[in-house]
Amino acid sequence: MEPIVKYPVYDLENQLLVGEGTELSPDFMNGFCREKRKSYPSAQLLEYGDIEKDLRQQFTTPPYNVIFAREETKTKVLAVMEHIRLPLPVFQVMDYFRKNDFHTYRHMLIISALTTLILDHLDPRYSSLAGEFSHFGPLHDLGKYTVPLAVLMENKPLTIKERDILRHHAVAGYVLVSHYLKDHRGLASMIALDHHERRNGTGYSRGIEQENLTVEVTTVCDIYDALIAQRPYRPISFDNRTALEELTWMARQGDISWEPVQVLVAYNRQKGTEVEEISISMERRGKPPKQNVYGILADEERGDRM
Ligand SMILES: [Fe+2]
Ligand SMILES: [Fe+2]
């Protein structure tokens, strides 16, 4: 199923990239990426502004202070992330979020580090492709730039229309990443498009059955970070144990794969080097926070928010 652009997507200079109703077929995307547009200079992620300092700060914040507790874990992840170079407009987006919606900014950074950590365990090709692989983190939610801050920061249930605009960040992100990297087939573009899909086809934007484990690593990290983070719509976050139980539950239901969940649990027990020996309890003992409008729509229809 081809993704459809429901709302026009503009670049950071307000130039229309793709109009409403466009079907993003492989042919269309080939032409789109071949179009002569200006190229953008790039910069190293960890050398830009306060990014490395901000990421190190995340490593000290629960539950990441446990996951990244070992010096060797931080060193390894940062060594991989040193290879990440991104086009300057991506940093403009990160600056925008750092100023206006700090959660989204820190989310982009920590997802980059966490996916790096998990992929290192799961994919034997990882060490040789490290620099390319870890492009994913900061780029997966690039499309959030197209979502009004009022929707991103809303503390009340969203309307169906608002949820639609929010969910459109995946398709918009696919367009933006393809545009700025001039590549729509690479993993970074695929992750931007498909990181909200599920193994059993219950996700969005296309409702496909997700089969790509590398994409799924971002999905699992994304869900985890959404659960444990404080958000305007849920001032009290899931405690870490309950968040891990939710992920275990989702893996059991077939929404997501076990492998990334297992690595995440292992690092939460500070047993990162012994992932294979981890056994995961199926019990659900934790309680999700009460003040939580996540998944509730103002129009009284239910569904996932993000
Ligand atoms: Fe997303
Ligand atoms: Fe995300």
Side-chain angles (χ1 to χ4, degrees):
M1 193 194 297
E2 314 301 356
I4 309 268
V5 171
K6 280 190 176 174
Y7 306 96
V9 182
Y10 298 86
D11 70 6
L12 269 76
E13 284 144 10
N14 243 355
Q15 298 297 313
L16 179 69
L17 292 176
V18 182
E20 185 182 335
T22 308
E23 191 178 305
L24 302 177
S25 65
D27 274 357
F28 177 86
M29 291 306 287
N30 283 338
F32 176 73
C33 289
R34 270 203 307 265
E35 269 173 43
K36 269 208 165 151
R37 297 203 188 90
K38 71 176 188 190
S39 347
Y40 299 90
S42 64
Q44 225 174 308
L45 177 70
L46 293 181
E47 284 183 356
Y48 184 87
D50 285 327
I51 283 182
E52 181 168 352
K53 185 176 95 150
D54 292 338
L55 179 58
R56 284 184 182 276
Q57 173 64 31
Q58 288 305 308
F59 289 159
T60 67
T61 310
Y64 297 110
N65 61 335
V66 174
I67 296 173
F68 292 96
R70 292 181 189 183
E71 215 42 56
E72 63 184 84
T73 307
K74 285 191 281 256
T75 306
K76 188 158 73 176
V77 165
L78 289 170
V80 173
M81 291 182 69
E82 268 174 22
H83 295 284
I84 305 178
R85 290 190 72 87
L86 294 166
L88 282 184
V90 175
F91 293 106
Q92 268 175 266
V93 172
M94 294 179 86
D95 283 341
Y96 165 82
F97 281 123
R98 190 175 194 274
K99 193 166 156 231
N100 297 297
D101 175 10
F102 193 81
H103 164 76
T104 297
Y105 166 75
R106 61 152 286 285
H107 173 76
M108 287 169 143
L109 289 184
I110 199 68
I111 294 303
S112 190
L114 202 54
T115 50
T116 299
L117 180 64
I118 295 181
L119 280 167
D120 186 56
H121 273 274
L122 295 182
D123 199 319
R125 297 170 303 157
Y126 185 74
S127 42
S128 58
L129 293 171
E132 286 173 50
F133 268 34
S134 42
H135 278 166
F136 313 161
L139 294 174
H140 83 282
D141 269 343
L142 197 68
K144 290 253 175 94
Y145 184 73
T146 66
V147 180
L149 285 173
V151 173
L152 289 177
M153 314 287 278
E154 180 57 85
N155 62 4
K156 292 194 279 307
L158 297 180
T159 62
I160 292 173
K161 174 88 187 283
E162 286 168 334
R163 185 189 65 176
D164 217 36
I165 292 169
L166 180 60
R167 288 184 165 191
H168 196 255
H169 81 273
V171 170
Y174 176 54
V175 171
L176 288 171
V177 173
S178 302
H179 169 64
Y180 287 120
L181 298 189
K182 297 192 186 312
D183 172 21
H184 68 100
R185 295 181 193 277
L187 272 160
S189 312
M190 292 325 299
I191 288 173
L193 177 63
D194 288 338
H195 68 280
H196 290 282
E197 303 289 1
R198 300 285 184 261
R199 286 188 78 71
N200 52 14
T202 56
Y204 68 92
S205 300
R206 297 188 281 165
I208 57 164
E209 291 181 9
Q210 182 57 262
E211 289 174 344
N212 184 323
L213 186 61
T214 310
V215 178
E216 269 202 279
V217 169
T218 301
T219 305
V220 169
C221 297
D222 193 57
I223 299 169
Y224 178 62
D225 191 60
L227 291 173
I228 54 96
Q230 279 185 315
R231 301 295 291 133
Y233 52 83
R234 191 187 52 227
I236 300 166
S237 58
F238 278 62
D239 66 70
N240 194 39
R241 185 200 171 91
T242 311
L244 290 169
E245 283 177 4
E246 285 292 317
L247 287 173
T248 307
W249 182 252
M250 289 178 78
R252 198 178 175 182
Q253 305 239 83
D255 290 354
I256 53 177
S257 286
W258 276 109
E259 292 94 327
V261 177
Q262 198 176 26
V263 180
L264 206 48
V265 171
Y267 273 93
N268 268 287
R269 292 184 196 163
Q270 298 190 343
K271 288 192 171 179
T273 51
E274 300 152 33
V275 173
E276 292 71 25
E277 290 157 32
I278 282 286
S279 65
I280 298 179
S281 158
M282 296 297 162
E283 258 186 279
R284 291 180 103 189
R285 284 189 274 179
K287 283 201 175 65
K290 282 190 184 133
Q291 259 184 292
N292 184 7
V293 299
Y294 185 91
I296 299 173
L297 288 170
D299 321 49
E300 291 186 352
E301 195 188 274
R302 286 182 170 265
D304 286 338
R305 183 169 177 133
M306 301 301 278

